[in-house]
Amino acid sequence: MRRTRGLAAALALSLAGTGAGVGLGLAPQAAAVTPPVAFTADPLPTWQPDGVVWALAEAGGTVFAGGTFSAVRPPEGAAGTERPAVNFAALDAATGAPTSCTLSFTVGAGTATVRALALSPDKKTLYAGGYFGAVNGTPVSSLAAVDVATCTVKPSFRPAFAATVRALAVTGDTVYAGGDFLTVAGQPRERFAAVDADDGSLRPFRADADEPGRAVEVTPDGSRVVLGGDFFTVNGTDTHALAVVDATSGALTKAYPGFIETNSVVKDIAADATGFYTANEGTGGGVFDGRIALDLAGFNQRWRDTCLGATQAVLPYQNVLYSASHAHDCSSVGEFPDGQRHHLLAQPTGGTGKLGWAPDTNDGIGEGIGPRVMTVGSRGGVPYLWVGGEFTTVNGAAQQSLTRFSSTGDTGAPTVPVASAVSFKPGEVQVRWRTSLDLDDSALTYRIYRGGAAAPIATVTADSLFFRRPQASWTDTTVTAGQTYTYRVTASDAAGNTSALSGTASVTVPASVDAYPNQVRTDGAQLFWRYDEPALPFAADSSNGGNQNGVHLNAPALRQSPGAVSGASTAIGFNGSDTQVYGDKRQTVGSSYTLETWFRTNTTRGGKLFGFGSNQTRGSNQYDKHIYMTNDGRLVYGVYTGATRTITTSGSYNDDKWHHVVATQGPGGMVLYVDGAQKGTLGVTTHENFSGYWHAGGDSLGGWPDRPTSEYWAGRLDETAVYPSVLSAAQVQNHYALASAPADSVVRVTAAEDTYANAGAPEANYGTSSSLAVRGSSFYASYLRFDLPAAPAGTVLKSAVLSVKTSTMSGAGTADTVSVVPVTGAWTEGGTTYTNRPAVGAPALGGFAGVPDGSAVHTAALNTATVAGALGTAYGLALTSTGTDALWLWSSEAQANEGTPQLTLTFGAP
């Protein structure tokens, strides 16, 4: 029997930082993996059988593997390194290498196999069941007892099973067996039997089933036996796949008619101190493939996990239920939709919610099931989770039939975050990233670095699972209007494994509120995809909630310009065949909502612009609340109420121009707007209620009127938003008008000349130096010249910001105030020395109130009016100080200068 006792632990998440962060809860205590998961997802080197492993058991730090194979080889072993291992191997739990125990399970005719292994309660005897006629030449009949200490068959244990034994459970004096047999020792025993644990003599236990038995477990008090298999009756009473019988007589004590679907079976049963867990496999449609928890007192259902994907084994350990399957659809329990197979999962023994543990195998050989059996083996006080089956890879690397995972030594780093940054108003930058994936940690710590600094500016802890990776964010409130900032993000797990830095996210802070996105946020968008990201696969959510990010599928074209909205925002391009963006968050849609997007196309094949569907990467089988285009360019907005209900425009919009479409539904019915004007209404207030995901650029359209040639859309989208309310006609018209309003423009000017003067070398010129310096005593001063542009027509200067970057030398920063003042005298980069340095004016245009050590970009806002008066000229600035602590900067000649010294000028409407 497999039982576990331990303390439950709750998943914990946190956020922290030197600004405003968005994470998901409280930080966990440091651990190798995120509690309550006990094992890493990093597979350890393990010897590999050349066939299928059907059974595992453990005693004294040795793991026994039974199956259908002929040899084992070292990890990554090549041909010629194999050792004979005929359907059985004994391996060290800590090293994964074979021990000296060697047993061969053979049969005179047919293919021998070991299908079940179980230890006596004192772990001195190993019982092996399957289909075989001898062990190391000693005659047996499909069930044998092995002395663990000597690795020898016990000849006194001689039961005679007439067919394959598939399951075993052992008490102090009895061995219970399930399988294909109809007789034992010549006596009728149909699929289930009990024999004496010492000599194998047949017990009076009768629990006859009409189809094979596959699982057997005994209650902790030894009074009942829980049976699982393919059967429909036990002792003539209807009970499909599951039954509870008396441990002595075999009499049925609890039946389960109709409890499990008729085309599903029980493949495994495991127990802990609270009850039993079943692993279920189905064939065909309408099956039950998941897991059931039964309470110990009455054998009634505590919960049922209806994931699809043929569960083969369950193992409770420290209040976590580990399972082996090929789960591909857990949408029925609010998790991942039909798609990729996941072969190893973990969930609390108290419910169905999956935990942050998801190492993976492939389907492998044989039936293509993947993993089939699990056990925990310990050596030196360290537990190891062993997994056997028919897989040939683990986490993408070659490894056949056996693998193991330790409870210590987590080595896998999280995936690299994909980050972006956005600023909608002065004084604020939001850094966003899709949370990373770590196969054994759900709570990860993210560090945000600004401007190339060595130390993070903020830390955020947030949660993610392999099927749910919400957007996390942090808001920098220490930024200056008009300045450009860069950010990078890393992810670390509790063991300290850290990803590489993300790609650089760059953003310029506007001098005034960015009108269009600000209005979308103000009007309550709960999803807002602006499509400005420079890299796949992350589409950031710019809504106030900020947790409904999208994922690019099949690499749509990024940063398409011009976008629909005036300014620097860009669009996304779809190819009309397989590219789209799908939502990362499963959700439902309320009775009131608004859909909004901008689009541009010349397609004659139509396609879906935006809508709601039940799947992510595959075509949805439920889909409505969508906007699509017909082949001739008309727009259709539709919902499903048991029948398709649509509004269709009379005009076409495939003219390769930007258009704005808004669709609303609420108590007043459905309304469709195009370019700010109402195009149709329909008195329908309901839609199909299901859980799903938002899609941009394509999804299913089968059964809808005027169905286009393509379900995928060829063209560009921009500024896609979803609101949990109905936008009014005035709000729609305002959004349309704001999109074409003039936006601020930003001009960045790098220094045309720069140098510094040094009182310690009064005749020296530093015009070609990679450094600049500032100090009051002894004197250094730096001089910068910028060729300023004239203001664009119809605009004025709204801000001017000077950027400099400290060098990497020790003590490059300063505790003193550095002033930025105008240069009034003549100078040149190649001719300036301390002796002929130019005169400077007053008052100061701006300054730096001290600069910390560490090479990083620093900014100072300058007097806008003074700089505006110099537009269109070559303008000189000096950096001066009255203190004694020197400031060292990179000059424009330095390769590491990040474009500094630089002036960032923001122009906008008066």
Side-chain angles (χ1 to χ4, degrees), residues 837-881:
R837 67 191 185 279
V840 298
L845 305 178
F848 301 88
V851 176
D853 285 345
S855 183
V857 175
H858 299 274
T859 62
L862 305 185
N863 184 281
T864 303
T866 303
V867 177
L871 292 174
T873 69
Y875 189 51
L877 299 173
L879 302 180
T880 64
S881 173

Coordinates of all heavy atoms in Angstrom, one line a residue, residues 837-881:
R837 N 39.6 77.9 -21.2 CA 38.2 77.4 -21.1 C 37.2 78.5 -21.3 O 37.5 79.7 -20.9 CB 38.0 76.7 -19.7 CG 38.1 77.7 -18.5 CD 38.2 76.9 -17.3 NE 38.1 77.7 -16.1 CZ 39.1 78.4 -15.6 NH1 40.3 78.3 -16.2 NH2 39.0 79.2 -14.5
P838 N 36.0 78.2 -21.8 CA 35.0 79.3 -22.1 C 34.4 79.8 -20.8 O 34.3 79.1 -19.8 CB 34.1 78.6 -23.0 CG 34.1 77.2 -22.6 CD 35.6 76.9 -22.3
A839 N 33.8 81.0 -20.9 CA 33.0 81.5 -19.8 C 31.7 80.8 -19.8 O 31.1 80.4 -20.8 CB 32.9 83.0 -20.0
V840 N 31.1 80.8 -18.6 CA 29.7 80.2 -18.4 C 28.8 81.2 -17.8 O 29.2 82.2 -17.2 CB 29.7 78.9 -17.6 CG1 30.6 77.8 -18.3 CG2 30.3 79.2 -16.2
G841 N 27.5 81.0 -18.0 CA 26.5 82.0 -17.6 C 25.7 81.5 -16.4 O 26.0 80.4 -15.8
A842 N 24.7 82.2 -16.0 CA 23.8 81.9 -15.0 C 22.4 82.4 -15.3 O 22.3 83.2 -16.2 CB 24.3 82.5 -13.6
P843 N 21.3 81.9 -14.7 CA 21.3 80.9 -13.7 C 21.4 79.5 -14.3 O 21.4 79.3 -15.5 CB 19.9 81.1 -13.0 CG 19.1 81.5 -14.1 CD 20.0 82.4 -15.0
A844 N 21.5 78.5 -13.4 CA 21.6 77.1 -13.8 C 20.3 76.7 -14.5 O 19.2 77.1 -14.1 CB 21.8 76.2 -12.6
L845 N 20.4 75.9 -15.6 CA 19.3 75.4 -16.3 C 18.7 74.1 -15.7 O 17.5 73.8 -15.9 CB 19.7 75.0 -17.7 CG 20.3 76.2 -18.5 CD1 20.7 75.6 -19.9 CD2 19.4 77.4 -18.7
G846 N 19.4 73.5 -14.8 CA 19.0 72.3 -14.2 C 20.2 71.7 -13.4 O 21.2 72.3 -13.3
G847 N 20.1 70.5 -12.9 CA 21.2 69.9 -12.2 C 20.9 68.5 -11.7 O 19.8 67.9 -11.9
F848 N 22.0 67.9 -11.2 CA 21.9 66.6 -10.6 C 22.2 66.7 -9.1 O 23.3 67.2 -8.7 CB 23.0 65.6 -11.2 CG 22.8 65.5 -12.7 CD1 23.4 66.4 -13.6 CD2 22.0 64.5 -13.2 CE1 23.3 66.2 -15.0 CE2 21.9 64.3 -14.6 CZ 22.5 65.2 -15.5
A849 N 21.3 66.3 -8.2 CA 21.5 66.4 -6.8 C 22.2 65.2 -6.3 O 21.7 64.4 -5.5 CB 20.2 66.6 -6.1
G850 N 23.5 65.0 -6.7 CA 24.2 63.9 -6.4 C 24.0 62.7 -7.4 O 22.8 62.6 -7.9
V851 N 25.0 61.9 -7.6 CA 24.9 60.8 -8.6 C 25.5 59.6 -7.9 O 26.6 59.6 -7.5 CB 25.6 61.1 -9.9 CG1 25.5 59.9 -10.8 CG2 25.0 62.3 -10.6
P852 N 24.7 58.5 -7.8 CA 25.3 57.3 -7.1 C 26.4 56.6 -8.0 O 26.4 56.8 -9.2 CB 24.1 56.4 -6.9 CG 23.1 56.8 -8.0 CD 23.3 58.3 -8.2
D853 N 27.2 55.8 -7.3 CA 28.2 55.0 -8.0 C 27.5 54.0 -8.8 O 26.4 53.6 -8.6 CB 29.2 54.4 -7.1 CG 30.2 55.4 -6.5 OD1 30.3 56.5 -7.0 OD2 30.8 55.0 -5.5
G854 N 28.2 53.4 -9.8 CA 27.6 52.4 -10.7 C 27.3 53.0 -12.0 O 26.7 54.1 -12.1
S855 N 27.8 52.3 -13.1 CA 27.6 52.9 -14.4 C 26.1 52.8 -14.8 O 25.6 51.7 -15.0 CB 28.4 52.1 -15.4 OG 28.3 52.6 -16.7
A856 N 25.5 54.0 -15.0 CA 24.1 54.0 -15.3 C 23.8 55.4 -15.9 O 24.5 56.4 -15.8 CB 23.2 53.8 -14.1
V857 N 22.7 55.5 -16.6 CA 22.2 56.7 -17.3 C 21.5 57.6 -16.2 O 20.6 57.1 -15.5 CB 21.3 56.5 -18.5 CG1 20.8 57.8 -19.1 CG2 22.1 55.7 -19.5
H858 N 21.8 58.9 -16.2 CA 21.1 59.8 -15.3 C 20.6 61.0 -16.1 O 21.2 61.4 -17.1 CB 22.1 60.2 -14.2 CG 22.6 59.1 -13.3 ND1 21.9 58.6 -12.2 CD2 23.7 58.3 -13.4 CE1 22.5 57.6 -11.7 NE2 23.6 57.4 -12.4
T859 N 19.5 61.6 -15.6 CA 18.9 62.6 -16.4 C 18.6 63.8 -15.5 O 18.5 63.8 -14.3 CB 17.5 62.1 -16.9 OG1 16.7 61.8 -15.8 CG2 17.7 60.9 -17.8
A860 N 18.6 65.0 -16.2 CA 18.2 66.3 -15.5 C 17.3 67.0 -16.4 O 17.6 67.3 -17.6 CB 19.5 67.1 -15.2
A861 N 16.2 67.5 -15.9 CA 15.3 68.3 -16.7 C 15.8 69.7 -16.7 O 16.3 70.3 -15.7 CB 13.9 68.3 -16.0
L862 N 15.8 70.4 -17.9 CA 16.4 71.7 -18.1 C 15.3 72.7 -18.2 O 14.1 72.4 -18.6 CB 17.3 71.7 -19.4 CG 18.4 70.7 -19.4 CD1 19.3 70.9 -20.6 CD2 19.3 70.7 -18.1
N863 N 15.6 74.0 -18.0 CA 14.6 75.0 -18.1 C 14.1 75.1 -19.6 O 14.9 75.4 -20.5 CB 15.3 76.4 -17.7 CG 14.3 77.5 -17.8 OD1 14.0 78.0 -18.8 ND2 13.8 77.9 -16.6
T864 N 12.8 74.8 -19.7 CA 12.3 74.7 -21.1 C 12.3 76.0 -21.9 O 12.7 76.0 -23.0 CB 10.8 74.2 -21.0 OG1 10.8 72.9 -20.3 CG2 10.2 73.9 -22.4
A865 N 12.0 77.1 -21.2 CA 11.9 78.4 -21.9 C 13.3 78.8 -22.4 O 13.5 79.3 -23.5 CB 11.4 79.4 -21.0
T866 N 14.4 78.5 -21.6 CA 15.7 78.9 -22.0 C 16.2 78.1 -23.2 O 16.7 78.6 -24.2 CB 16.7 78.7 -20.9 OG1 16.3 79.5 -19.8 CG2 18.1 79.2 -21.3
V867 N 15.9 76.8 -23.1 CA 16.3 75.9 -24.3 C 15.5 76.3 -25.5 O 16.0 76.3 -26.6 CB 16.1 74.4 -23.9 CG1 16.5 73.5 -25.1 CG2 17.0 74.1 -22.7
A868 N 14.2 76.6 -25.3 CA 13.3 76.9 -26.5 C 13.9 78.1 -27.2 O 13.8 78.3 -28.4 CB 11.9 77.2 -26.0
G869 N 14.5 79.1 -26.4 CA 15.1 80.3 -27.1 C 16.3 80.0 -27.9 O 16.7 80.8 -28.7
A870 N 16.9 78.8 -27.7 CA 18.1 78.5 -28.5 C 17.8 77.5 -29.6 O 18.8 77.1 -30.3 CB 19.1 77.8 -27.5
L871 N 16.5 77.1 -29.8 CA 16.2 76.2 -30.9 C 16.7 76.7 -32.2 O 16.6 77.9 -32.5 CB 14.7 75.9 -31.0 CG 14.1 75.1 -29.8 CD1 12.6 75.1 -29.9 CD2 14.7 73.7 -29.6
G872 N 17.2 75.8 -33.0 CA 17.8 76.1 -34.3 C 19.2 76.6 -34.3 O 19.7 77.1 -35.4
T873 N 19.9 76.5 -33.2 CA 21.3 77.0 -33.1 C 22.1 75.9 -32.5 O 21.7 74.9 -32.0 CB 21.4 78.2 -32.1 OG1 21.1 77.8 -30.8 CG2 20.4 79.3 -32.5
A874 N 23.5 76.1 -32.5 CA 24.4 75.3 -31.8 C 24.5 75.8 -30.4 O 24.9 76.9 -30.1 CB 25.8 75.3 -32.5
Y875 N 24.1 75.0 -29.4 CA 23.9 75.4 -28.1 C 24.9 74.7 -27.2 O 25.0 73.5 -27.2 CB 22.5 75.1 -27.7 CG 22.0 75.7 -26.3 CD1 22.2 77.1 -26.1 CD2 21.5 74.9 -25.3 CE1 21.8 77.6 -24.9 CE2 21.0 75.5 -24.1 CZ 21.2 76.8 -23.9 OH 20.8 77.4 -22.7
G876 N 25.6 75.5 -26.3 CA 26.6 75.0 -25.4 C 26.1 74.9 -24.0 O 25.5 75.9 -23.5
L877 N 26.4 73.8 -23.3 CA 26.1 73.6 -21.9 C 27.4 73.2 -21.2 O 28.3 72.6 -21.8 CB 25.1 72.5 -21.7 CG 23.7 72.7 -22.4 CD1 22.9 71.4 -22.2 CD2 23.0 73.9 -21.7
A878 N 27.5 73.6 -19.9 CA 28.6 73.2 -19.1 C 28.1 72.4 -17.9 O 27.0 72.8 -17.3 CB 29.5 74.4 -18.7
L879 N 28.9 71.4 -17.4 CA 28.6 70.8 -16.1 C 29.6 71.2 -15.1 O 30.8 71.0 -15.3 CB 28.7 69.2 -16.3 CG 27.7 68.6 -17.4 CD1 27.9 67.1 -17.4 CD2 26.3 69.0 -17.1
T880 N 29.1 71.8 -14.0 CA 30.1 72.4 -13.0 C 29.7 72.0 -11.6 O 28.5 71.6 -11.4 CB 30.1 73.9 -13.1 OG1 28.8 74.4 -12.7 CG2 30.4 74.4 -14.5
S881 N 30.6 72.1 -10.7 CA 30.3 71.8 -9.3 C 31.2 72.6 -8.4 O 32.3 73.1 -8.8 CB 30.6 70.3 -9.0 OG 30.5 70.0 -7.7

